[in-house]
Amino acid sequence: MNNLAPRVSVVIPVYNEEAGLKALFDRLYPALDRLGIAYEVIFVNDGSRDRSAAILKDQYLRRPDVTRVILFNANYGQHLAIVAGFEHCRGERIVTLDADLQNPPEEIEKLLAAMDAGHDYVGGIRSARKDVWWRNLASRAMNHLRERITRIKMTDQGCMLRAYGRDIVRAIVASREVSTYIPALACTFAYSPTEIEVAHAERAAGESKYSLYKLIRLNFDLITGFSLVPLQLFSMFGMIVSATALVTYLIVIVDRLIIAGWREGFATLWDRDILAFFLIGMLVFGLGLIGEYVGRIYQQVRDRPRFMIQAVLEGSEIVTPQSVSAAQLTEMTVDAKLGL
Ligand code: UDP
Ligand code: MG
């Protein structure tokens, strides 16, 4: 590892990406070498159950000067994997990238050029997004919703090809958030953010690691982490319903007492099952919504470690609870340490 701090750290979360990692290395390293500046690549293995960890270790042994690997003991999610990378990176500028080659590594140069122009945060906008139609549709809707109920300004919140200045990364690490959305958090710290168009490609190999369920969870993290509007809307809704109920009740009383027989149907409107079900549904939804916030508060106040790092491969050392020194470092000891 160079003694000088690298100019750029590239942080890449990896979860079950064995099929595509080789293609990633083949494009990433040449693209970074071409920049002609000191760099480091930090892969964070997010508890992959396939051979990703072993492949990353091989790559580390091939390019130990510029490669570092953080190995989680379990799957904690893409955003916490990036946080771990941020905690360990040493570059002045930090670029995040997906491991599946959907973000072309050749575009890193463009992000850095925007930073040269004085910006401390550069977001990517995928010019022609290559994902399945329902994902495109859903993220457009979420983007729109986020734009309206948070103060976060981002054209393409789903794009992870982004560059961050060191101060922003330091602030993200210091935030110690349990469930977070890195690009949005970075927005809150940036003083001169900008966005540029970047290319987007289809997944090089393997499948998306986001099921519909995981996507919904992620979007809850985004909304609850940056807005109280859902809770406020819900209480507004409660107020409107109870005010309407009160007015209706008064009308019913007047109806019964004075104009008996007047539009009978109206009085029974509130008895209709369908309306009751709707209100019960809203109530349960509201409870769930409060639960989303309370659950996050609970996680946060427990203050447990957000992730467990099994080992870090860096320099010529493997840092584990019982570290192996450079002299002992052989492929066999690495494998034994990591249980590969
Ligand atoms: N990823 C991760 N942990 C997870 C899910 C995903 O580290 O629990 C990584 C994954 O390996 C990839 C990036 O996050 O590098 C984006 O995931 P993916 O490409 O599956 O998401 P999509 O492009 O479908 O939104
Ligand atoms: Mg992808």
Side-chain angles (χ1 to χ4, degrees), residues 13-15 17 46 75 77-78 81 98-100 102 135 203 207-210 214:
V14 176
Y15 179 53
E17 300 283 5
D46 186 17
N75 179 236
Q78 178 184 2
D98 283 351
D100 56 0
Q102 288 202 272
R135 287 280 304 263
R203 215 172 210 289
E207 291 176 348
S208 171
K209 304 302 175 287
Y210 280 97
K214 267 179 111 177

Side-chain angles (χ1 to χ4, degrees), residues 85-112:
F86 281 1
E87 281 182 359
H88 285 78
C89 68
R90 296 175 310 185
E92 289 160 38
R93 293 167 174 181
I94 295 90
V95 173
T96 55
L97 200 71
D98 283 351
D100 56 0
L101 279 179
Q102 288 202 272
N103 307 134
E106 297 77 17
E107 300 285 68
I108 293 175
E109 196 171 358
K110 273 200 221 165
L111 297 177
L112 297 178

Side-chain angles (χ1 to χ4, degrees), residues 293-306:
Y293 283 91
V294 173
R296 282 169 177 74
I297 297 168
Y298 181 46
Q299 277 185 333
Q300 200 72 50
V301 297
R302 276 193 313 218
D303 201 24
R304 292 184 187 160
R306 293 176 291 177

Side-chain angles (χ1 to χ4, degrees), residues 2 4-9 32 35-40 66 91-92:
N2 307 330
L4 288 172
R7 297 259 294 145
V8 180
S9 298
L32 291 172
L35 295 177
I37 52 176
Y39 69 87
E40 63 176 3
V66 289
E92 289 160 38

Side-chain angles (χ1 to χ4, degrees), residues 13-310:
V14 176
Y15 179 53
N16 293 344
E17 300 283 5
E18 63 178 8
L21 282 176
K22 170 83 173 59
L24 172 69
F25 303 150
D26 288 348
R27 273 177 62 190
L28 177 69
Y29 285 84
L32 291 172
D33 287 332
R34 259 199 308 277
L35 295 177
I37 52 176
Y39 69 87
E40 63 176 3
V41 185
I42 303 181
F43 294 100
V44 186
N45 177 45
D46 186 17
S48 299
R49 285 185 297 269
D50 65 359
R51 292 190 55 258
S52 295
I55 298 171
L56 291 176
K57 179 215 69 181
D58 288 344
Q59 179 60 20
Y60 161 72
L61 291 174
R62 215 168 291 135
R63 294 292 302 270
D65 53 333
V66 289
T67 309
R68 301 163 74 195
V69 182
I70 298 170
L71 297 147
F72 277 180
N73 71 335
N75 179 236
Y76 295 98
Q78 178 184 2
H79 290 258
L80 283 183
I82 293 174
V83 170
F86 281 1
E87 281 182 359
H88 285 78
C89 68
R90 296 175 310 185
E92 289 160 38
R93 293 167 174 181
I94 295 90
V95 173
T96 55
L97 200 71
D98 283 351
D100 56 0
L101 279 179
Q102 288 202 272
N103 307 134
E106 297 77 17
E107 300 285 68
I108 293 175
E109 196 171 358
K110 273 200 221 165
L111 297 177
L112 297 178
M115 291 199 103
D116 286 338
H119 298 287
D120 62 339
Y121 176 38
V122 187
I125 304 171
R126 294 167 288 190
S127 41
R129 191 171 163 192
K130 301 273 181 3
D131 275 316
V132 287
W133 66 271
W134 64 270
R135 287 280 304 263
N136 295 350
L137 201 72
S139 48
R140 212 168 307 144
M142 278 312 298
N143 232 20
H144 191 67
L145 180 68
R146 189 219 68 246
E147 201 68 29
R148 301 192 64 172
I149 68 172
T150 71
R151 283 200 225 129
I152 313 285
K153 297 273 164 269
M154 265 191 291
T155 310
D156 186 5
Q157 65 190 28
C159 181
M160 293 307 284
L161 181 55
R162 286 166 191 272
Y164 308 82
R166 169 130 296 276
D167 286 346
I168 293 182
V169 163
R170 202 175 290 130
I172 291 175
V173 169
S175 301
R176 297 207 44 77
E177 300 210 357
V178 174
S179 26
T180 195
Y181 199 91
I182 305 283
L185 192 57
C187 264
T188 64
F189 300 130
Y191 69 83
S192 172
T194 188
E195 295 186 302
I196 59 169
E197 285 216 353
V198 290
H200 193 242
E202 282 184 32
R203 215 172 210 289
E207 291 176 348
S208 171
K209 304 302 175 287
Y210 280 97
S211 58
L212 182 61
Y213 176 75
K214 267 179 111 177
L215 274 179
I216 293 174
R217 306 294 332 150
L218 183 71
N219 280 290
F220 262 114
D221 284 344
L222 174 61
I223 300 299
T224 59
F226 299 91
S227 174
L228 292 178
V229 170
L231 287 178
Q232 289 157 351
L233 278 184
F234 191 68
S235 54
M236 287 300 255
F237 174 79
M239 266 160 53
I240 292 169
V241 169
S242 53
T244 316
L246 187 66
V247 171
T248 312
Y249 186 59
L250 293 174
I251 293 175
V252 169
I253 291 176
V254 173
D255 177 39
R256 294 255 165 93
L257 291 180
I258 306 167
I259 339 168
W262 177 72
R263 293 192 185 178
E264 264 171 55
F266 190 63
T268 52
L269 202 62
W270 288 101
D271 298 337
R272 297 266 166 86
D273 286 353
I274 201 148
L275 194 60
F277 276 126
F278 167 69
L279 289 175
I280 292 170
M282 286 310 287
L283 220 65
V284 174
F285 170 69
L287 269 178
L289 195 61
I290 295 168
E292 292 286 344
Y293 283 91
V294 173
R296 282 169 177 74
I297 297 168
Y298 181 46
Q299 277 185 333
Q300 200 72 50
V301 297
R302 276 193 313 218
D303 201 24
R304 292 184 187 160
R306 293 176 291 177
F307 41 76
M308 287 296 287
I309 293 176
Q310 184 189 2

